[in-house]
């Protein structure tokens, strides 16, 4: 009767304990699931918004890059040429553009394949001086973004420069941190309604109108799907990201598995405790046996396997079932295979190095932590992490208790990351572009190795902005703008761009800086991610184009417009210093006779000889130009007195005299007539002084020719 009563009590207590355990598990499971779901959802929402901002920065960088190309194109003079377009097209891929197109209001078009570039509305908007970003989602060749900027200069818009970039390439470059799954949806643009339908569209309309990020849940293809979206505020576009319900279930299950494991461990402890109460009367030996059984059960449920071995001899004392399963062997097979020595379980090629590491760690610490490979009975190879703790037994023996975990997947992922990092560094080191990171709070600037020496930085520079690091290599005129750009980012600017020069190896090199600020939850600048592009070749090419546009193609002297511009600039620059200049106008005598009698080829040779002699006769700072067929202008700067000008003109008359023989044997002599006026004596502008020099020249032409005349006020 007493036994029956005890059994009833035991059953009752067991039921209560099980009920309490189940209730606790369900409560903990639900709380864990909700918390895991909220954490995962918050991470995805945050990553979606961060990626939208980064994608916006990427589009902005491409827009700035195309605008810079358009600006340089406008400075080249004759814009719509095959040569200019070929240069742009050759550099399109380098700057990340898929296609490029150049068009003008007169119907001039170079290039093809950039959709929307010539739509009337877009074309008119850009010709009005605005940049236009349009999305081309749905193009058969992929999701493209079209960037259209004006080609403008001196307040005039000459045409439109358009380029396309794939949304996928921007997302891959700037949004790689998003956790996309196989059923990912990446769309750019405002065409949500075609994807999610009118019902879902009405639910997110309020967020779209207010430029906010958000989410909706809907059925897509029979599957419950979560749909996250975040705005690209400056471009009237959105970044969309969808995840099926199964993705959340799989991720949440991992967290919930902790609750299940905890329940099993609690039940196991409860079972051991109840079992101990019922078997209290048993002997110490029986209790110890039961205890070892329970320890084995726990060991078998530990991830990986447990193994103990002697410190001195390396003999294996104990091996858990989990460890045997890793090797795919029974215990007898395992002990034969390993010869019961810990070192023999290590793959033979890793053995010597691993044992050396174990001995080195054992001399310094009670804990050993090493990685090595093992080979199963099926010749399968995998990586394990071996974590062992030193134990001294009551009998004085010393051994290690080690946990072996299969880390093959983790090891392979780390290897892949190292390979990708090496590839990235190789790409960076072999291109004209580098990326950098600036931790604003720590004032810590980090550059890739290939740019460190050129930019005068180390891998980690503390107090970069405060101490104005890089000042030694920065071109002096660019220092304030360069450091001012970083000050703007520190003070809350969203992004900046500027060009600067570096003095390296005795040369001056041009770079373009673009950077984007990442803010913390308080809206304070936390990190800056940016890029530096070597634009030296582009700048020098544009300077060469500009120089060519100032020259007369035939003689190599400054052309008429350039001559006027340069002389007016010289007058304005030196007006405040009271400097005097002489404006010399030269016209060849008998030049028409050369063309009419001998021919234009002979006349061309006379003009070229005249240009060479003028360049040789005057200083490099003087301005020498050809303003007509056989008419030339020279500005002699900083003249000390009129006598020096008269002496130079007398010499010039002799130098410019040329003789050419006609077909009939006559000798035709080409001489020069010269008129001279002075700045500021005879005027303050080019037109005024030129008119008086020309008047002096005309009086020579009417009289003797082959002479000069100094303008005198009547």
């Amino acid at each position: 009767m007493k036994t029956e009563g005890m059994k009833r009590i035991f059953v009752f207590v067991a039921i209560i304990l099980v009920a309490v355990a189940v209730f606790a598990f369900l409560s903990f499971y639900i709380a864990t699931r909700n918390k895991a779901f909220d954490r995962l959802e918050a991470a995805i929402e945050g990553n979606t918004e961060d990626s939208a901002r980064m994608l916006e920065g990427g589009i902005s960088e491409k827009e700035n890059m195309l605008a810079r190309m358009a600006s340089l194109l406008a400075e080249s003079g004759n814009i719509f040429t095959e040569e200019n377009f070929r240069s742009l097209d050759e550099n399109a891929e380098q700057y990340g553009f898929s296609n490029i197109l150049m068009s003008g209001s007169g119907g001039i078009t170079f290039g093809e394949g950039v959709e929307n570039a010539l739509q009337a509305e877009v074309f008119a908007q850009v010709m009005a001086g605005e940049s236009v970003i349009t999305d081309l989602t749905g193009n058969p060749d992929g999701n493209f973004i079209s960037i259209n900027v004006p080609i403008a200069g001196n307040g005039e818009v000459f045409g439109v420069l358009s380029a396309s970039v794939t949304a996928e390439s921007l997302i891959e470059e700037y949004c790689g941190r998003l956790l996309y799954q196989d059923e990912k949806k990446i769309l750019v643009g405002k065409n949500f309604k075609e994807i999610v339908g009118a019902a879902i569209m009405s639910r997110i309309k309020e967020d779209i109108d207010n430029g906010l990020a958000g989410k909706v849940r809907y059925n897509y293809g029979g599957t419950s799907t979560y749909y996250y979206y975040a705005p690209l505020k400056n471009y009237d576009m959105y970044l969309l990201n969808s995840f099926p319900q199964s993705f959340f279930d799989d991720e949440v299950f991992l967290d919930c598995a902790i609750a299940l494991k905890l329940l099993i461990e609690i039940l196991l402890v409860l079972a051991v405790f109840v079992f101990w109460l019922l078997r209290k009367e048993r002997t110490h030996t029986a209790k110890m046996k039961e205890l070892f059984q329970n320890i084995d059960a726990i060991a078998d449920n530990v991830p990986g396997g447990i193994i103990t071995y002697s410190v001195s001899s390396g003999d294996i004392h104990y091996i858990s079932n989990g460890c045997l399963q890793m090797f795919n062997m029974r215990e007898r097979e395992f002990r034969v295979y390993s010869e019961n020595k810990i070192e023999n379980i290590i793959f033979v090629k890793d053995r010597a190095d691993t044992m050396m590491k174990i001995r080195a760690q054992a001399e310094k610490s009670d804990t050993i932590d090493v990685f090595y490979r093992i080979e199963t009975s099926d010749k399968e190879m995998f990586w394990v992490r071996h974590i062992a703790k030193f134990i001294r037994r009551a009998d004085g023996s010393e051994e290690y208790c080690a946990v072996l975990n299969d880390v093959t997947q983790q090891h392979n992922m780390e290897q892949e990351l190292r390979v990708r990092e090496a590839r990235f560094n190789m790409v960076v080191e072999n291109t004209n572009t580098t990326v950098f990171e600036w931790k604003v709070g720590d004032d810590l600037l980090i550059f890739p190795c290939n740019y460190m020496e050129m930019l005068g930085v180390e891998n980690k520079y503390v107090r970069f902005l405060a101490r104005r690091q890089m000042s030694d290599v920065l071109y002096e005129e660019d220092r304030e703008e360069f450091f001012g750009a970083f000050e703007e980012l520190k003070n809350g600017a969203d992004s900046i761009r500027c060009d600067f020069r570096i003095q390296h190896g005795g040369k001056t090199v041009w770079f373009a800086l673009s950077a984007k600020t990442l803010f913390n939850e308080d809206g304070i600048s936390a990190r800056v991610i940016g890029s530096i592009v070597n634009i030296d070749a582009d700048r020098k090419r544009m300077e060469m184009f500009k120089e060519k546009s100032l020259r007369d193609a035939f003689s190599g002297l400054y052309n008429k417009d350039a001559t006027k511009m340069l002389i007016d600039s010289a007058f304005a620059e030196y007006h405040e210093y009271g400097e005097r200049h002489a404006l010399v106008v030269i016209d060849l005598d008998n030049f028409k006779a050369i063309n009419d009698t001998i021919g234009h080829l002979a006349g061309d040779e006379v003009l070229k000889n005249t240009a060479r002699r003028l360049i040789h006769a005057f200083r490099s700072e003087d301005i020498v130009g050809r303003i007509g067929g056989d008419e030339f202008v020279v500005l002699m700067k900083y003249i000390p007195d009129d006598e020096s000008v008269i002496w130079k003109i007398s010499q010039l008359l002799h130098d410019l005299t040329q003789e050419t023989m006609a077909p009939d044997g006559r000798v035709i002599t080409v001489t020069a007539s010269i008129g001279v006026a002075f700045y500021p004596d005879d005027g303050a502008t080019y037109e005024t002084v030129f008119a008086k020099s020309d008047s002096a020249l005309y009086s020579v032409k009417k009289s003797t020719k082959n002479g000069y005349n100094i303008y005198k006020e009547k």
Side-chain angles (χ1 to χ4, degrees):
M1 193 70 180
K2 183 177 180 181
T3 304
E4 289 294 324
M6 289 296 295
K7 288 183 178 179
R8 289 192 187 100
I9 292 173
F10 172 74
V11 171
F12 179 78
V13 171
I15 292 174
I16 293 298
L17 291 175
V18 171
V20 170
V22 170
F23 178 80
F25 167 73
L26 290 176
S27 300
F28 186 76
Y29 178 86
I30 293 172
T32 302
R33 187 182 189 283
N34 292 340
K35 188 178 295 184
F37 187 91
D38 293 342
R39 176 183 57 76
L40 183 61
E41 185 176 71
I44 294 174
E45 290 176 346
N47 282 341
T48 302
E49 292 184 43
D50 288 346
S51 297
R53 286 193 293 271
M54 294 174 72
L55 180 57
E56 183 179 4
I59 297 175
S60 176
E61 181 179 349
K62 298 297 183 186
E63 180 185 359
N64 291 338
M65 188 179 297
L66 192 64
R68 186 167 66 252
M69 294 169 67
S71 177
L72 294 175
L73 187 64
E75 294 177 6
S76 68
N78 189 6
I79 299 170
F80 298 100
T81 66
E82 188 67 29
E83 180 183 358
N84 282 346
F85 175 72
R86 187 162 54 251
S87 176
L88 291 172
D89 192 51
E90 289 173 354
N91 289 296
E93 184 176 352
Q94 175 185 350
Y95 293 126
F97 297 118
S98 299
N99 295 299
I100 198 160
L101 180 144
M102 180 172 62
S103 55
S105 58
I108 304 173
T109 301
F110 289 87
E112 59 183 339
V114 182
E115 298 183 38
N116 292 346
L118 293 178
Q119 290 182 359
E121 181 179 354
V122 172
F123 187 83
Q125 192 173 350
V126 179
M127 287 298 291
E130 301 178 22
S131 295
V132 179
I133 310 296
T134 62
D135 66 286
L136 304 182
T137 301
N139 188 289
D141 297 326
N143 298 324
F144 288 84
I145 295 174
S146 174
I147 304 174
N148 309 274
V149 301
I151 305 172
N154 297 324
E156 180 181 0
V157 179
F158 305 105
V160 178
L161 184 62
S162 304
S164 65
V165 58
T166 64
E168 287 78 7
S169 69
L170 284 173
I171 290 171
E172 179 181 359
E173 181 177 357
Y174 295 99
C175 311
R177 294 185 298 124
L178 275 179
L179 306 174
Y180 294 125
Q181 299 298 303
D182 292 339
E183 295 183 42
K184 69 181 180 181
K185 296 289 178 183
I186 304 172
L187 302 172
V188 178
K190 293 190 66 176
N191 55 343
F192 303 141
K193 193 170 182 179
E194 300 174 11
I195 305 300
V196 301
I200 299 299
M201 188 65 191
S202 65
R203 294 177 58 187
I204 62 177
K205 184 179 185 301
E206 183 177 354
D207 284 346
I208 295 176
D209 292 340
N210 292 290
L212 301 175
K215 68 163 187 176
V216 293
R217 183 177 179 179
Y218 66 99
N219 288 325
Y220 180 77
T223 302
S224 182
T225 304
Y226 289 87
Y227 187 87
Y228 295 86
Y229 52 92
L232 278 65
K233 297 182 180 179
N234 292 333
Y235 295 106
D236 206 18
M237 300 180 186
Y238 272 68
L239 176 71
L240 292 89
N241 192 24
S242 66
F243 293 83
Q245 179 69 47
S246 59
F247 169 76
F248 289 91
D249 293 339
D250 292 342
E251 293 293 320
V252 171
F253 176 77
L254 296 177
D255 284 358
C256 293
I258 298 174
L260 181 61
K261 180 176 179 293
L262 181 61
L263 175 64
I264 293 173
E265 292 176 351
I266 292 173
L267 290 176
L268 182 60
V269 172
L270 288 174
V272 172
F273 179 73
V274 173
F275 187 77
W276 178 79
L277 288 175
L278 292 175
R279 307 292 293 181
K280 187 176 181 180
E281 70 277 5
R282 292 196 175 185
T283 62
H284 179 71
T285 304
K287 289 189 289 184
M288 289 300 296
K289 182 179 178 181
E290 293 169 4
L291 180 59
F292 280 122
Q293 289 175 345
N294 291 330
I295 292 175
D296 286 341
I298 294 174
D300 290 341
N301 284 279
V302 171
I306 296 176
I307 191 170
T308 64
Y309 56 92
S310 170
V311 172
S312 58
S313 64
D315 292 340
I316 298 173
H317 298 155
Y318 170 80
I319 181 168
S320 69
N321 289 331
C323 194
L324 293 173
Q325 290 173 4
M326 291 174 64
F327 284 86
N328 195 25
M329 296 180 183
R330 296 181 179 180
E331 184 173 355
R332 179 182 294 274
E333 294 174 329
F334 174 81
R335 293 190 181 275
V336 172
Y337 164 79
S338 65
E339 299 178 359
N340 210 38
K341 296 288 186 180
I342 187 65
E343 65 182 57
N344 292 337
I345 72 172
I346 304 171
F347 183 55
V348 63
K349 293 184 178 180
D350 299 345
R351 191 170 299 167
D353 183 59
T354 302
M355 292 306 298
M356 186 181 300
K357 292 178 181 178
I358 290 176
R359 285 190 286 270
Q361 292 184 25
E363 292 176 358
K364 299 178 180 179
S365 173
D366 290 343
T367 303
I368 294 172
D369 189 351
V370 292
F371 293 87
Y372 54 81
R373 290 175 292 178
I374 64 175
E375 187 177 24
T376 69
S377 60
D378 298 331
K379 301 299 180 181
E380 181 182 354
M381 196 79 66
F382 60 95
W383 283 87
V384 297
R385 184 181 185 185
H386 176 124
I387 303 177
K389 183 71 176 178
F390 175 80
I391 299 173
R392 180 176 282 108
R393 299 294 183 186
D395 60 2
S397 62
E398 298 176 343
E399 67 178 17
Y400 283 109
C401 180
V403 176
L404 305 184
N405 283 312
D406 184 352
V407 293
T408 304
Q409 184 176 5
Q410 176 186 345
H411 178 270
N412 291 341
M413 290 176 63
E414 290 175 353
Q415 288 289 99
E416 178 65 21
L417 285 174
R418 280 192 286 270
V419 171
R420 291 187 180 184
E421 183 178 2
R423 289 174 180 168
F424 173 78
N425 289 335
M426 182 178 67
V427 170
V428 169
E429 291 173 3
N430 287 278
T431 63
N432 286 335
T433 303
T434 189
V435 294
F436 67 88
E437 177 182 359
W438 180 39
K439 296 181 180 179
V440 180
D442 299 330
D443 202 3
L444 183 69
L445 187 67
I446 301 175
F447 273 100
C449 296
N450 64 319
Y451 268 70
M452 287 163 49
E453 180 182 355
M454 177 178 292
L455 298 178
V457 300
E458 297 177 359
N459 191 32
K460 291 185 177 180
Y461 245 150
V462 180
R463 307 289 291 167
F464 153 73
L465 187 57
R467 297 181 181 176
R468 297 220 162 189
Q469 303 288 355
M470 291 177 59
S471 293
D472 292 342
V473 297
L474 276 170
Y475 198 73
E476 184 176 0
E477 295 179 5
D478 298 340
R479 289 174 190 167
E480 290 305 316
E481 181 181 1
F482 179 83
F483 289 113
F486 280 90
E487 289 284 1
E488 291 180 25
L489 294 170
K490 181 180 179 180
N491 295 331
D494 184 66
S495 62
I496 58 95
R497 77 160 306 280
C498 69
D499 294 348
F500 64 95
R501 286 164 286 185
I502 289 291
Q503 295 172 317
H504 178 73
K507 297 181 180 179
T508 300
V509 184
W510 277 96
F511 291 90
L513 166 72
S514 296
K516 175 76 175 177
T517 306
L518 302 179
F519 301 93
N520 60 21
E521 60 271 13
D522 298 324
I524 299 174
S525 302
R527 294 167 59 222
V528 171
I529 305 297
S531 66
I532 291 180
V533 182
N534 186 325
I535 60 170
D536 195 61
D538 292 339
R539 289 292 296 238
K540 289 178 179 176
R541 188 182 301 113
M542 288 301 117
E543 289 173 2
M544 181 186 68
F545 288 159
K546 184 176 180 180
E547 178 66 19
K548 286 185 177 179
S549 68
L550 299 176
R551 296 289 180 177
D552 172 46
F554 180 77
S555 65
L557 303 178
Y558 288 116
N559 58 34
K560 181 178 181 179
D561 292 336
T563 300
K564 177 183 181 303
M565 177 189 69
L566 292 172
I567 293 177
D568 268 333
S569 177
F571 286 174
E573 182 177 357
Y574 299 107
H575 173 71
E576 59 181 300
Y577 300 110
E579 299 286 356
R580 294 182 75 236
H581 311 294
L583 187 66
V584 181
V585 180
I586 304 161
D587 188 87
L588 298 183
D589 303 324
N590 303 323
F591 181 72
K592 186 174 185 301
I594 296 289
N595 283 334
D596 295 344
T597 306
I598 305 177
H600 288 281
L601 291 178
D604 292 345
E605 190 62 31
V606 169
L607 290 176
K608 291 179 181 179
N609 286 335
T610 301
R612 285 194 291 268
R613 295 177 183 185
L614 287 173
I615 292 173
H616 180 73
F618 291 97
R619 300 164 298 176
S620 59
E621 64 264 29
D622 294 334
I623 299 171
V624 183
R626 179 186 177 213
I627 61 172
D630 60 343
E631 190 172 7
F632 302 86
V633 168
V634 178
L635 180 68
M636 296 176 62
K637 296 183 178 180
Y638 322 119
I639 58 171
D641 48 49
D642 293 1
E643 288 73 17
S644 61
V645 176
I646 294 172
W647 181 85
K648 173 61 74 174
I649 297 304
S650 300
Q651 290 293 113
L652 188 63
L653 287 172
H654 176 269
D655 293 341
L656 294 182
T657 301
Q658 304 176 55
E659 292 184 348
T660 303
M661 182 164 295
D664 58 3
R666 289 184 300 113
V667 175
I668 300 177
T669 301
V670 177
T671 58
S673 296
I674 300 175
V676 182
F678 294 95
Y679 167 89
D681 310 29
D682 299 321
T685 64
Y686 171 76
E687 289 85 354
T688 304
V689 182
F690 176 81
K692 294 179 179 179
S693 298
D694 194 52
S695 174
L697 169 69
Y698 182 69
S699 65
V700 177
K701 296 289 278 187
K702 286 200 310 181
S703 58
T704 62
K705 297 185 179 180
N706 189 24
Y708 69 90
N709 186 26
I710 306 297
Y711 176 79
K712 299 257 188 241
E713 192 72 41
K714 297 180 181 178

